Each structure stands twice: as C-alpha cells, then as structure tokens.
Amino acid sequence: MESAIDTHLKCPRTLSRRVPDDYQPPFPMWVGRADTSLQQVVMAYLGVQYADEAKRPDALAALRHIVATFEGADGPEHHDLTHHVDNQDHHNLMVVGYWADPAAYCRWLRSDRVKGWWDSDDRLNEGLGYFREVVAPRVDQFETLYAFQEELPGVGAVMGKISGDVNEHGYWGSMRERIPLSQTDWMKPGGELIVVTGDPKAGGRVVVRGHDNIALIRSGQDWIEAGDDERSLYLDEILPTLEAGMDFLRDNGEDVGCYSNRFVRSIDLDGNELDESYNIGHWRSLDRLERWAESHPTHLRIFTTFFRVAEGLEKLRLYHEVSVSDGKDQTFEYINCHPRTGMLRDARMPSSV
Amino acid sequence: MESAIDTHLKCPRTLSRRVPDDYQPPFPMWVGRADTSLQQVVMAYLGVQYADEAKRPDALAALRHIVATFEGADGPEHHDLTHHVDNQDHHNLMVVGYWADPAAYCRWLRSDRVKGWWDSDDRLNEGLGYFREVVAPRVDQFETLYAFQEELPGVGAVMGKISGDVNEHGYWGSMRERIPLSQTDWMKPGGELIVVTGDPKAGGRVVVRGHDNIALIRSGQDWIEAGDDERSLYLDEILPTLEAGMDFLRDNGEDVGCYSNRFVRSIDLDGNELDESYNIGHWRSLDRLERWAESHPTHLRIFTTFFRVAEGLEKLRLYHEVSVSDGKDQTFEYINCHPRTGMLRDARMPSSV
C-alpha cells in the first residue's frame, strides 16, 4: 500500500488527514505517477459550438483544423474528442489537449496557425461559436484515481505510469487528500469570475478572468471492451442516475457552486460516437465540489453502486482526475458562444462588481 | 453561528478540521450545552432479557425494580425505558440512566439495594437474563446533535441547555469534529473485547473488558407530537430504510466493526409502546462508525432524506449523541444472557487471545 501523494511531493503537514494512519481502503484503486521532472501540466478544452444541425460539417471541419495544429513539436502529448448538446440545445464539439510542458503550450498558442486563426475576424462570421477553457495545474495541484491500471486516459496519459494500491480512497475527503497541496493548503477560492473583455449577452469575443483554486473534475467511463454484464451495469444501472446528477449540475450549478458542467460523449474525427464518455465540471472551489458529491442523492447512489461493484470490474473503466489551479494559470475565452456557455453564465460584468 | 465545541472545551489544535473556516452548514442544527462544572457523565444501559412471552410480567417487574432503585439522592438525573426483540428472538427491556456525577453513580452502584440485588444468587435462577452496559465519557469525549431546541432527550437532558446554531454539521466528519477531544486526538481503539469472567456460551455471570475509545451512538426519533404529514414522513419514508440499515448492523456488525446494535422502542413502566424509538450502537471505534455511515446505501438514503426535510421539520424530533470512553470507564456485565447479547458476541475468551 502506498500513498497517493508521490514521494517527491510529500512535505511536512500543517493540515492533518481525516482518517487515522492505519486506515485500510475497502478495495484497491490506483493513481497516475509521473517522472519527477514533470512540474506543471496544461489541460486545454477547445470548443466549437453550433446551434443548427446543418452546421455540423463546418463544426467538424473546425475541430479537425484545431487537431491539425497539434502536429509538430509544440503540440500536446495527448488529446481526445467529444460532443455534447447543452441545455440551450446547442451542440458542442471539444478537443482537450494535455501538455506536459507549459512552455510548449505557450509556443503552440502563439504560433501563427493558432494565434492567427483565433484572432482572425473570420471567426466572428462563420455561424460557429468557439471557446478555449484552459487550466495549468502544478503537479501538487491535481490528483487522479483509476479503477484500472493500463492505458490511462486524460492527464494519466501524460503522467505515463501507474502507482501500486493507494491508501487515500474510499472515504469522503480522500479526493482532497490525494492532492499534494492539501498537506499544507485549504485551496480556498480566491475571488469571482469577472468578464474582462466583451459582453456575454452581445456575443462576439468575450474573455473571463478566473480566480485561484477553481476546481476542475473530469470523471470518466469507458465501456468499449465491456462484456454484456458490464455494459448493462453501466448503461442500465449507473448511467440513468449519472445523467440525472449531471443534468442537475448543468441546470442548477449556480446554487451549489458549479460554474459549468458538461457530460460529453467521446467521438472520432468524423464525429462518430465511441463507447466512452466523461463529465467535465468547473467548480468555484474544491469544498463546494466535496459538499455536493457527499450529499446529493444522485451522486451518493452512483457512489454506493461503485462501492458494490468496484472490486469485480473487468473491462468497464471508471476514473477521475481533479485539479485546482492559480487564477493566473487559467484562460477562459469565447467567440460567439451563447451566454450560458462555460464560465459565461456565472461571470459578472465589471460594472456589477 | 457558534462552534459545537463549547468555549471552555476549546484548546489549541494539533489536528485540523476537514472543512475550511468559512464553511456554512445547509440548515440549522443545535447541540446540548452543560454547565462548566460538568466533567463526566455516566450512561448506564441496564437490561432484562427473556425468551418466552410468558416471562414478560416478571421481566417488567424486574425493570420496575431497577427503576425504583433510582429514587433517592444517588439516582440518575434522567432515564428512559425501551423494549426490543433481538435477532435471537429474545425480548429485551432496558432502562438507560444518565448521571451527571460519576461519584453518585458509584454510590448508587455500591448501595445494598443495587449491589445486593445484582450479586444475589437469585438472579441466576429467575429464568431472566440481566445485563449492565455502562460507559462514562468525559465532557471532551462526547457530542450531541439535535434538529430541535427543547426538552432534550438522552444526555441532553443532563446537560440541560441548548446551543445556538452550530457550525459543525452537514458534512462527513462533522460528528468527529463536534467531539472536543478530536482537536488533539484520533480516538483510536485501544485493544479488543475480552471475556474476563465466565463463558458466554455457558450462561451464568459473564464480565467483558472493553477497551479505549469504544464508540457509542444513540440515534433517536420521536413522533409523539407529529402531525399526519410528519408521521407519514417518518413511518412510511424514513423508517423502512432505517430498519433495513439497523438490521444490517445487528446481523452483520462483526464485518464492519459494530459490536452491538439495538433498534429499540420506547415504553412506559407497564411496557406500553410510546411513539419514540432510538438505535443504540456500540462500535469498535469512531472511524469504523464513520466508514459505515458514509458508505452504506441504507444510511446514505436516510441521510439524503434528512437533508431534504431537515429545515421543514416541525414536531418530528430527530437527534443523536455519540461518545467515546476510556476502557477503564466501561462496564459490560451479563447474567444468563444468550451469547450474542451486547458485547458477548465479539468478546474473545482469554485462551484465544
């Protein structure tokens, strides 16, 4: 049994754990491990939004264009593609890119094919929306948790290695305790979302400023290789409750501290659905995410189902990754997106601050 | 908003809370407050057991005898009566007495009418079982939580006063954080249950030695004054799940660290049922109780129901009290009880230690 916090990220605690030293988790789980040289990762969610089915080919072409910019030395180590329909009946295609080197991300971002394309006035007149939601957590600011040990998705693909059984899981508070920074820091939210450029209601270009310790959770399901029993477990038993919980957060997030919640389906470059999905949620703070997760009936039902089946899972892959980040390491930019997209819904105009 | 830990019990922390300073509970709850002179309480569960309905009058007479010993200066400040049928189909009558002064309890215990009666060989030949399960937590070793503010049951009746809204509730870990000792102590279990006199299988007199930090929870429901809606909320919605959870602990407690679990119905001196009940559970440790409470489907369902209705409760009274105690402040004594009674089930014979 090892700690979820890697050896080189351990430090003298000023904040104690919730459980005693001799805590024993009820079943095994694993976390991603990275080389000690990894300092900070970039998680860039790059979106294309369209209201009308007829725009799908254009939107897919735009998505493919973004993915094409990943080629070359400064592209991300890993990426994947998704589609979802939001509660304004808009379609959204996203590619998330994971960089192990923030400097490479910056070079990519500033390259002509990226900067020139994003800044071009053409983006304002294509009948498509675009967004970039990017956070760059340091290695002491994120955690992962996998119910499997191979071919890690998401940030695990950048980390590259898997731990042995870890101690910090199976109790409320373990997510926080897997984040190395929790040893010494409450990770409290540092401000409010503020619109710093444009006006969400007017469309066009809008930039939102984030704040310290926005929490980002990616929580995923992969039933590609699952047999009949595990497909049924996921599709018939877990999924309906999961959808209810994720719809609740999408539609009522403002009340519970969830800025944005998207339950997305993985796709290929042609837009065909794959048997993978994940939820991507932005929260005002880790403690708001904790309070919801540990008290909402839908999440508790998912949690107890997972507890029941975790040890017997064979091909159904369940995992999550959670990060906090500094406000200065966040980017939230939108072009012609509807005003409830991403951070736009909860961001305040400067005049109202 | 005030802390559940009373001012005179605050001390510099060596263990941190789970939630940040600015945590706001989702609805109001209250705790008992005692005069600063209160140092330690005694909670004495005194039982009469019988297998056969025909023994009911004798058992009730024995219960009344015990209650009669409470009269006079050294009796408990407060007591109440219950009945339950255990999973060996035995009936159990219990009176729990609460003393605010351990010295008075000792005098009561050593008085002829108590000691003489308990020690008499007559107790061995009446076709009844008897037990005494007594713990004496110091004031830094217990906590209370009430969804109401008047006529406190259980240890609250001895404390005598109620707090204002307290901060430490509504999240997993708050029970522990309401116990003053949690500021500096993990309250880890200090040993095993050991049979020190007799043999549970043989009947007769058996004494079990406890160990540091056995946790005792009393969790109660009172629908005496409830109107139709709240009676239905309790009887139709909460009770079935509560019974399922409490039956689970009664029958499977050994696997999860629950030494004994009794879901009991309040009665009057004639054995008539009242519209009050509570569960009384003895646990190997506070953290085993926490793990079960925060992960078992039945308890999570009760918890989410309570979250939903807590703010609107009018006459349905829900509460709990939780203590840990030092091994030296525990007594577990049995006369002719079946071998799955109370601590007997999990206590090990010295030869097997």
Side-chain angles (χ1 to χ4, degrees):
Chain A
M1 180 90 33
E2 50 193 76
S3 171
I5 301 178
D6 208 350
T7 321
H8 65 290
L9 298 172
K10 287 265 183 192
C11 71
R13 283 186 174 277
T14 57
L15 300 175
S16 42
R17 287 185 67 185
R18 196 194 145 205
V19 296
D21 293 339
D22 57 0
Y23 168 77
Q24 292 291 328
F27 46 81
M29 296 279 278
W30 300 269
V31 304
R33 292 287 192 218
D35 192 88
T36 55
S37 63
L38 187 73
Q39 298 285 315
Q40 188 171 20
V41 297
V42 178
M43 304 169 168
Y45 289 83
L46 312 171
V48 182
Q49 188 176 76
Y50 59 104
D52 183 349
E53 267 298 335
K55 299 295 289 185
R56 185 168 186 261
D58 291 355
L60 277 166
L63 185 73
R64 283 191 290 264
H65 169 83
I66 297 170
V67 174
T69 67
F70 288 173
E71 282 168 27
D74 292 330
E77 272 72 19
H78 179 72
H79 72 271
D80 65 70
L81 311 175
T82 64
H83 167 258
H84 75 283
V85 178
D86 62 34
N87 67 356
Q88 306 300 300
D89 290 327
H90 282 56
H91 293 262
N92 297 267
L93 302 174
M94 286 199 292
V95 52
V96 54
Y98 288 90
W99 276 261
D101 177 2
Y105 166 75
C106 280
R107 289 192 298 271
W108 172 84
L109 189 70
R110 290 189 207 132
S111 67
D112 271 351
R113 59 183 176 169
V114 175
K115 182 172 164 44
W117 178 84
W118 180 264
D119 290 346
S120 166
D121 285 344
D122 294 347
R123 299 293 83 68
L124 294 167
N125 305 302
E126 295 174 321
L128 295 173
Y130 298 98
F131 58 88
R132 292 170 166 174
E133 297 176 353
V134 186
V135 298
R138 298 185 307 275
V139 284
D140 62 349
Q141 290 180 309
F142 70 89
E143 62 92 25
T144 60
L145 191 64
Y146 305 100
F148 52 89
Q149 301 172 73
E150 280 156 17
E151 296 177 57
L152 306 185
V155 75
V158 171
M159 301 179 82
K161 294 188 291 271
I162 190 85
S163 70
D165 291 15
V166 297
N167 178 284
E168 297 92 341
H169 73 92
Y171 57 95
W172 301 109
S174 60
M175 172 181 72
R176 177 181 291 267
E177 292 180 10
R178 288 188 297 271
I179 300 178
L181 197 55
S182 72
Q183 297 171 103
T184 56
D185 194 310
W186 284 102
M187 299 175 277
K188 288 166 81 165
E192 310 269 333
L193 293 178
I194 305 288
V195 176
V196 290
T197 302
D199 176 355
K201 290 195 200 69
R205 292 182 185 269
V206 182
V207 178
V208 171
R209 191 181 69 208
H211 59 75
D212 286 351
N213 292 316
I214 286 178
L216 176 62
I217 177 166
R218 169 178 169 154
S219 176
Q221 309 82 34
D222 164 352
W223 63 103
I224 293 174
E225 304 277 337
D228 289 346
D229 286 354
E230 290 198 330
R231 287 183 76 84
S232 169
L233 168 67
Y234 177 62
L235 295 172
D236 303 332
E237 194 165 351
I238 297 176
L239 181 59
T241 310
L242 182 58
E243 282 183 316
M246 298 305 101
D247 286 356
F248 173 88
L249 287 179
R250 181 193 63 193
D251 300 335
N252 306 277
E254 225 167 333
D255 301 332
V256 294
C258 180
Y259 288 148
S260 164
N261 201 66
R262 302 174 172 115
F263 189 37
V264 302
R265 182 72 178 257
S266 293
I267 56 171
D268 66 18
L269 274 174
D270 298 316
N272 302 304
E273 291 191 341
L274 310 178
D275 283 352
E276 283 182 273
S277 60
Y278 55 88
N279 188 75
I280 195 79
H282 289 79
W283 289 76
R284 170 157 174 74
S285 64
L286 201 62
D287 69 289
R288 300 298 289 269
L289 168 56
E290 289 175 302
R291 295 294 88 70
W292 184 83
E294 70 191 45
S295 66
H296 200 262
T298 54
H299 190 263
L300 293 177
R301 215 173 309 146
I302 295 165
F303 173 80
T304 55
T305 303
F306 180 71
F307 252 54
R308 183 163 50 78
V309 303
E311 206 145 14
L313 290 180
E314 291 179 0
K315 299 289 187 180
L316 175 61
R317 290 155 51 96
L318 304 173
Y319 69 95
H320 87 199
E321 61 190 51
V322 176
S323 66
V324 295
S325 54
D326 293 353
K328 67 176 170 51
D329 293 326
Q330 299 163 1
T331 303
F332 302 111
E333 298 182 331
Y334 304 84
I335 303 173
N336 282 341
C337 290
H338 69 70
R340 299 185 72 80
T341 305
M343 305 302 115
L344 296 182
R345 185 195 67 200
D346 293 351
R348 294 160 68 187
M349 293 293 283
S351 58
S352 70
V353 176
Chain B
M1 181 90 32
E2 50 193 77
S3 172
I5 301 178
D6 208 349
T7 322
H8 65 288
L9 298 172
K10 288 266 180 191
C11 71
R13 283 184 173 278
T14 56
L15 300 174
S16 41
R17 287 186 65 186
R18 195 194 146 205
V19 296
D21 293 338
D22 57 357
Y23 168 76
Q24 292 292 327
F27 46 83
M29 295 281 277
W30 300 270
V31 303
R33 292 288 193 220
D35 192 86
T36 54
S37 63
L38 187 73
Q39 299 284 313
Q40 189 171 20
V41 297
V42 177
M43 304 169 169
Y45 289 84
L46 311 172
V48 182
Q49 189 176 75
Y50 58 105
D52 183 349
E53 266 299 333
K55 298 297 287 184
R56 185 168 186 259
D58 292 354
L60 277 167
L63 185 72
R64 283 191 290 264
H65 169 83
I66 297 170
V67 174
T69 67
F70 288 174
E71 282 168 28
D74 293 330
E77 273 70 22
H78 180 73
H79 72 271
D80 66 71
L81 311 174
T82 63
H83 167 259
H84 75 283
V85 178
D86 62 35
N87 66 357
Q88 306 301 300
D89 289 327
H90 282 55
H91 292 262
N92 297 268
L93 302 174
M94 286 199 292
V95 52
V96 55
Y98 288 90
W99 279 259
D101 177 3
Y105 166 76
C106 279
R107 290 191 300 270
W108 172 83
L109 189 70
R110 290 189 208 133
S111 67
D112 272 350
R113 59 182 177 171
V114 175
K115 183 171 162 48
W117 178 85
W118 180 265
D119 289 346
S120 166
D121 285 344
D122 294 347
R123 298 294 83 70
L124 295 166
N125 305 302
E126 293 174 321
L128 295 173
Y130 298 99
F131 59 88
R132 292 169 165 177
E133 298 178 352
V134 186
V135 298
R138 297 186 308 274
V139 284
D140 62 348
Q141 290 181 307
F142 70 88
E143 61 91 25
T144 60
L145 191 63
Y146 305 100
F148 52 90
Q149 301 171 72
E150 280 155 17
E151 296 176 57
L152 306 185
V155 74
V158 171
M159 301 178 82
K161 294 189 292 273
I162 189 85
S163 69
D165 291 16
V166 298
N167 178 282
E168 297 92 341
H169 72 93
Y171 57 94
W172 301 110
S174 60
M175 171 181 73
R176 177 181 291 268
E177 292 180 10
R178 287 188 297 272
I179 300 178
L181 197 56
S182 72
Q183 297 170 103
T184 56
D185 194 311
W186 284 102
M187 299 174 277
K188 288 166 82 164
E192 310 269 333
L193 293 179
I194 306 287
V195 175
V196 290
T197 302
D199 176 355
K201 289 193 200 72
R205 293 182 184 269
V206 181
V207 178
V208 172
R209 190 181 69 208
H211 59 75
D212 286 350
N213 292 314
I214 286 179
L216 175 62
I217 178 167
R218 169 179 169 153
S219 178
Q221 308 82 33
D222 164 352
W223 63 103
I224 293 174
E225 304 277 336
D228 289 346
D229 287 354
E230 290 196 330
R231 286 183 77 84
S232 168
L233 168 67
Y234 177 62
L235 296 171
D236 303 333
E237 195 166 349
I238 297 177
L239 181 60
T241 310
L242 183 57
E243 283 184 317
M246 297 307 98
D247 286 356
F248 173 88
L249 287 179
R250 180 192 65 194
D251 299 336
N252 305 276
E254 225 167 332
D255 302 332
V256 295
C258 180
Y259 287 148
S260 165
N261 201 68
R262 302 173 173 116
F263 188 36
V264 302
R265 182 72 177 258
S266 293
I267 56 171
D268 65 18
L269 274 174
D270 297 315
N272 301 304
E273 291 191 343
L274 309 178
D275 283 352
E276 283 183 273
S277 60
Y278 55 88
N279 189 76
I280 195 77
H282 288 79
W283 289 77
R284 171 158 173 73
S285 64
L286 202 61
D287 69 288
R288 300 297 288 270
L289 168 56
E290 289 175 302
R291 294 294 87 71
W292 183 81
E294 70 191 45
S295 66
H296 200 262
T298 54
H299 190 264
L300 293 177
R301 216 173 309 145
I302 295 164
F303 173 80
T304 56
T305 303
F306 179 70
F307 252 54
R308 182 163 51 76
V309 303
E311 205 144 14
L313 290 180
E314 290 177 2
K315 299 290 187 181
L316 176 61
R317 289 154 53 95
L318 304 173
Y319 68 94
H320 86 198
E321 61 190 53
V322 177
S323 67
V324 295
S325 54
D326 293 353
K328 68 177 170 50
D329 293 326
Q330 299 163 1
T331 303
F332 302 111
E333 298 182 332
Y334 305 84
I335 303 174
N336 281 343
C337 291
H338 70 69
R340 299 184 72 79
T341 305
M343 306 302 115
L344 295 182
R345 185 194 68 200
D346 294 349
R348 294 160 67 187
M349 293 293 282
S351 58
S352 69
V353 175

